[in-house]
Amino acid sequence: MPQPANAFDRYDLATAGDTVREDFTDMIYDISPTETPFINNCGRGTASATSKEWQIDALADAVDNGFHIDGDDFAGDALDDPERIGNYLGILRKDIVVTRRANKVNTAGFRKALAFQIAKKGKELKRDMEATLLANNAALAGDSTTPPQFAGVPAWLKTNTSRGGTGADPALSNTTYGFPTTAATDGTDRALDESIISGLYEDIYIAGGNPKVLMAGPRAKAKFSRYMFGSDARVATPYQDHGANKKNGLTVVGAVDVYVGDYGVYELVPNRFQREDDFFILDMDYWSVDYLDGMITQEIAKSGDSEKRMLLVDFTLCSKNEAASGVFADVDETLDMVA
């Protein structure tokens, strides 16, 4: 017997009078990345003012023929004072407003809208911190109309650098000391170059640095891995492992995450929040994130039918000695790495 024309209308959620409940999963799926490799790898310090200053120094070059005549008079060696450098602190924040109703109604995936938003914005703020620490921003004191900002990693690196044509190193506010008030100038993009990067490893090692981390954007990291498996590199080979039980299938390793060079062992770390332009060679012992206020939640006075919160962090980047690190700048992540 044929069904009436409207026999299945009661199963249509768009039909008036429908009696079928919605199949609405009580979960929220979010794949947004929250890893912060730079923050996780460097030190943590404190700040007590709106700027942070420290001193750097260097030993005189080693002398291989510094013999003295017997009985020679004492003249006194030349003395150099340490250089005083610093960075301003910057404030990042997230503002949250949740209405009374939104916080009271029965919701799917979370119990209280305010708690959910605080947790979500906290993750967003941490991502903002990572991106800002790795941004090519100069240091700025700020005033009543301009927010203060700190210099990011690219604005510190000026000793061990390789830049594309028209690129220029950053500069301190004074010749050899002060604040990084001039950021690096981006140059012409070019492919990653193994010989140049190897030269940077060497320069850093000779200067006294011992970098252990190579940090790159995801696409640049992939170019590095693919090159190391190529015929030009003659370093890595794809590796297959059947495991103890061949029924479990085959594992293929086709990426380089640890690179052994002439001057050390380097961990190759991809970072979603840094510029693809920068391939960093980092001695993390000489970087720290210093806080006047760690991530805090402040309750804002009510001014209506809502709850208000401010998530805030007041911090800076401390580059204890930028000569312990380096950068291959102006990477074109669409080009294959070259020898």
Side-chain angles (χ1 to χ4, degrees):
M1 181 176 180
Q3 295 285 344
N6 64 348
F8 297 100
D9 284 354
R10 62 180 178 274
Y11 305 125
D12 184 357
L13 296 181
T15 302
D18 168 55
T19 58
V20 178
R21 290 185 180 274
E22 292 178 315
D23 185 0
F24 189 22
T25 303
D26 195 26
M27 290 289 290
I28 298 173
Y29 301 97
D30 183 356
I31 66 165
S32 302
T34 56
E35 301 92 342
T36 52
F38 183 80
I39 293 175
N40 293 350
N41 275 281
C42 69
R44 180 186 176 109
T46 59
S48 58
T50 57
S51 64
K52 177 98 178 189
E53 293 184 279
W54 56 94
Q55 296 183 94
I56 62 173
D57 201 5
L59 301 179
D61 292 339
V63 177
D64 61 4
N65 190 9
F67 304 111
H68 288 272
I69 300 170
D70 180 31
D72 193 18
D73 196 10
F74 178 84
D77 295 331
L79 302 178
D80 296 318
D81 291 329
E83 296 172 0
R84 180 172 174 171
I85 57 177
N87 211 354
Y88 296 108
L89 274 70
I91 301 168
L92 300 181
R93 79 183 209 199
K94 296 289 183 180
D95 299 344
I96 302 170
V97 179
V98 175
T99 68
R100 174 187 54 79
R101 272 190 166 185
N103 211 37
K104 294 287 288 185
V105 296
N106 187 22
T107 52
F110 56 91
R111 295 185 63 184
K112 294 292 184 181
L114 181 60
F116 172 75
Q117 291 297 335
I118 290 174
K120 178 181 177 180
K121 293 300 180 182
K123 294 176 182 178
E124 291 178 2
L125 188 56
K126 191 175 181 182
R127 286 158 46 110
D128 291 351
M129 291 171 62
E130 181 84 354
T132 307
L133 288 164
L134 296 169
N136 187 30
N137 295 326
L140 186 64
D143 54 33
S144 60
T145 59
T146 305
Q149 65 182 39
F150 56 76
V153 172
W156 278 105
L157 298 173
K158 62 186 182 68
T159 300
N160 305 301
T161 66
S162 172
R163 302 190 182 278
T166 71
D169 291 332
L172 297 172
S173 52
N174 293 287
T175 305
T176 58
Y177 64 95
F179 295 75
T181 51
T182 303
T185 301
D186 290 332
T188 305
D189 283 357
R190 70 269 172 74
L192 282 169
D193 189 308
E194 182 193 16
S195 62
I196 295 176
I197 293 173
S198 295
L200 291 172
Y201 298 152
E202 182 177 281
D203 292 341
I204 295 169
Y205 177 80
I206 292 173
N210 291 289
K212 296 293 187 292
V213 173
L214 309 178
M215 193 169 288
R219 294 182 178 87
K221 194 272 186 187
K223 293 297 184 184
F224 188 95
S225 287
R226 289 168 191 163
Y227 171 81
M228 288 301 164
F229 286 107
S231 58
D232 289 337
R234 304 180 303 280
V235 175
T237 57
Y239 172 74
Q240 295 181 340
D241 184 6
H242 289 271
N245 184 354
K246 295 181 175 57
K247 293 182 179 179
N248 290 337
L250 191 68
T251 298
V252 178
V253 179
V256 173
D257 296 316
V258 176
Y259 175 76
V260 180
D262 290 327
Y263 307 104
V265 178
Y266 308 92
E267 182 183 2
L268 184 57
V269 179
N271 194 321
R272 295 180 175 96
F273 302 115
Q274 76 172 71
R275 307 190 314 163
E276 291 280 359
D277 280 13
D278 301 316
F279 185 92
F280 295 122
I281 306 166
L282 301 173
D283 187 337
M284 299 306 299
D285 289 342
Y286 291 91
W287 298 94
S288 70
V289 181
D290 292 10
Y291 297 86
L292 180 63
D293 253 326
M295 197 179 296
I296 59 174
T297 303
Q298 293 183 326
E299 184 172 348
I300 307 302
K302 287 179 66 67
S303 59
D305 191 17
S306 62
E307 296 285 339
K308 300 172 183 173
R309 299 291 187 273
M310 179 189 292
L311 269 64
L312 178 147
V313 60
D314 197 344
F315 69 119
T316 192
L317 174 64
C318 180
S319 173
K320 299 173 184 177
N321 196 318
E322 59 81 26
S325 299
V327 63
F328 181 98
D330 306 311
V331 176
D332 187 337
E333 69 278 9
T334 68
L335 299 178
D336 291 335
M337 186 172 176
V338 298

